[in-house]
């Protein structure tokens, strides 16, 4: 948590409501941000992210992406339509499902399996699609690697986490095999050094993939399952977050089950990561 009280906040997105900037200490709403479509209807954000410097909030909708100034409540500073029309094949198609920011670009992805790079003012720079062999049924998680060059994505009903080098988007530069035959979001994270990709498994394990063994200059390089893993939960690991400065890892488990008389308990755990798996 940041020592500056003004920085201790998070964004809350609820259907048919504006975005709320909430205080982590009290839970009170500090500010609200709302975007409207051409019919003056309030749009519900399906993905949100802070800018790298924390001064802006990016929000994704169905065929729109907006940028809000944190210090100014109300309408967005920028509102960009991601495709000219519903019938058009140009632009970024579908509901924006996830956003990720770095120092120079914003990456977005949709439930139609497309990804895009945006300039800080939300304009689309380029659009590409997850290859069919890795695609699944829509991108559900997106992260920048710590080097700010590789963008990684995971999809529903997919066995892989795929990476692209933004200097050459013609084909993936790396692929990590991670069983994920589910419609649920399954997150992944990187340690502070950028050496390991940490991914949860459907069987409750958390596995650390060593990316130093990967030559990202070789197209479609495949990272096999790393033996460095731990049985963290008794059910699917859906959420993973790595602390940016300390060797700490938070994991959350659970999934929707039907007709299961003895479901595994859902839980949140914080782990202390050994130094050999955390430092370069």
């Amino acid at each position: 948590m940041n020592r500056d009280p003004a920085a201790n906040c998070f964004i809350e997105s609820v259907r048919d409501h504006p975005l709320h900037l909430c205080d982590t200490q009290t839970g009170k709403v500090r500010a609200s941000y709302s975007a409207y479509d051409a019919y003056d209807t309030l749009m519900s954000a399906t993905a949100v992210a802070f800018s790298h410097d924390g001064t802006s909030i990016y929000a994704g909708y169905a065929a729109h992406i907006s940028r809000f100034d944190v210090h100014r409540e109300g309408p967005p500073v920028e509102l960009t339509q991601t495709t000219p029309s519903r019938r058009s094949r140009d632009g970024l198609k579908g509901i924006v499902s996830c956003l990720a920011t770095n120092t120079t670009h914003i990456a977005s992805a949709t439930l139609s399996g497309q990804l895009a790079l945006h300039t800080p003012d939300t304009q689309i720079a380029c659009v590409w699609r997850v290859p069919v062999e890795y695609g699944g049924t829509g991108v559900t998680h997106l992260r920048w690697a710590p080097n700010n060059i590789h963008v990684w994505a995971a999809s529903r009903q997919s066995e892989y986490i795929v990476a692209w080098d933004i200097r050459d988007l013609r084909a993936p530069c790396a692929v990590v095999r991670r069983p994920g035959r589910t419609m649920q979001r399954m997150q992944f994270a990187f340690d502070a050094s950028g050496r390991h990709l940490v991914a949860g498994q459907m069987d409750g394990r958390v596995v650390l993939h060593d990316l130093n063994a990967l030559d990202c200059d070789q197209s479609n390089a495949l990272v096999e399952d790393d033996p460095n893993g731990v049985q963290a939960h008794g059910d699917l690991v859906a959420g993973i977050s790595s602390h940016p400065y300390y060797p700490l890892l938070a994991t959350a488990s659970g999934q929707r089950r039907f007709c299961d008389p003895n479901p595994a308990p859902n839980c949140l755990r914080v782990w202390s990561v050994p130094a050999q798996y955390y430092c370069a």
Side-chain angles (χ1 to χ4, degrees):
M1 184 174 292
N2 197 305
R3 295 179 180 179
D4 181 10
N8 292 333
C9 54
F10 63 93
I11 288 291
E12 178 185 65
S13 176
V14 181
R15 185 175 181 179
D16 298 327
H17 286 76
L19 291 175
H20 294 312
L21 183 68
C22 300
D23 191 298
T24 57
Q25 299 287 341
T26 64
K28 294 182 178 180
V29 176
R30 292 185 180 180
S32 297
Y33 311 92
S34 53
Y36 295 85
D37 61 15
Y39 302 99
D40 204 28
T41 301
L42 178 68
M43 295 190 293
S44 301
T46 51
V48 293
F50 281 101
S51 62
H52 191 265
D53 58 7
T55 60
S56 298
I57 298 169
Y58 292 94
Y61 311 89
H64 289 84
I65 289 180
S66 65
R67 180 176 72 88
F68 298 93
D69 187 335
V70 171
H71 304 96
R72 195 184 79 177
E73 288 191 79
V77 178
E78 308 281 351
L79 180 61
T80 300
Q81 191 168 346
T82 59
T83 182
S85 66
R86 295 182 64 179
R87 295 185 178 182
S88 174
R89 295 185 178 181
D90 299 327
L92 185 67
K93 304 290 290 184
I95 298 173
V96 178
S97 56
C98 41
L99 295 168
T101 63
N102 70 359
T103 55
T104 57
H105 292 88
I106 298 94
S108 66
T110 68
L111 294 179
S112 64
Q114 287 184 308
L115 299 95
L117 287 181
H118 305 258
T119 58
D121 60 353
T122 70
Q123 298 301 312
I124 294 178
C126 58
V127 178
W128 73 100
R129 179 177 290 276
V130 181
V132 175
E133 60 268 30
Y134 306 131
T137 59
V139 180
T140 54
H141 191 55
L142 195 65
R143 291 292 297 266
W144 286 96
N147 61 13
N148 287 329
I149 296 175
H150 300 131
V151 59
W152 292 74
S155 303
R156 300 180 299 187
Q157 296 289 342
S158 174
E159 297 284 335
Y160 303 96
I161 303 174
V162 188
W164 290 266
D165 189 321
I166 62 173
R167 298 167 296 185
D168 183 2
L169 295 171
R170 289 175 296 179
C173 68
V175 179
V176 167
R177 183 175 288 113
R178 192 274 303 273
R181 289 292 179 181
T182 176
M183 296 297 287
Q184 184 168 331
R185 292 176 185 259
M186 293 181 66
Q187 297 180 347
F188 57 89
F190 297 93
D191 63 9
S193 67
R195 175 182 173 180
H196 292 100
L197 183 148
V198 189
Q201 309 287 315
M202 296 189 66
D203 60 3
R205 293 189 307 127
V206 172
V207 176
L208 284 79
H209 300 273
D210 189 352
L211 300 183
N212 279 358
L214 173 66
D215 181 8
C216 283
D217 293 330
Q218 184 179 8
S219 180
N220 288 316
L222 178 65
V223 180
E224 297 293 343
D225 288 337
D226 196 303
N228 297 322
V230 62
Q231 189 68 39
H233 298 274
D235 202 354
L236 179 146
V237 181
I240 289 185
S241 181
S242 175
H243 196 285
Y245 310 117
Y246 299 106
L248 297 174
L249 185 72
T251 61
S253 69
Q255 62 180 315
R256 179 177 293 180
R257 293 181 178 273
F258 300 95
C259 302
D260 189 349
N262 298 306
N266 302 336
C267 63
L268 170 67
R269 291 176 176 171
V270 179
W271 306 81
S272 178
V273 183
Q276 66 267 30
Y277 298 138
Y278 196 84
C279 302

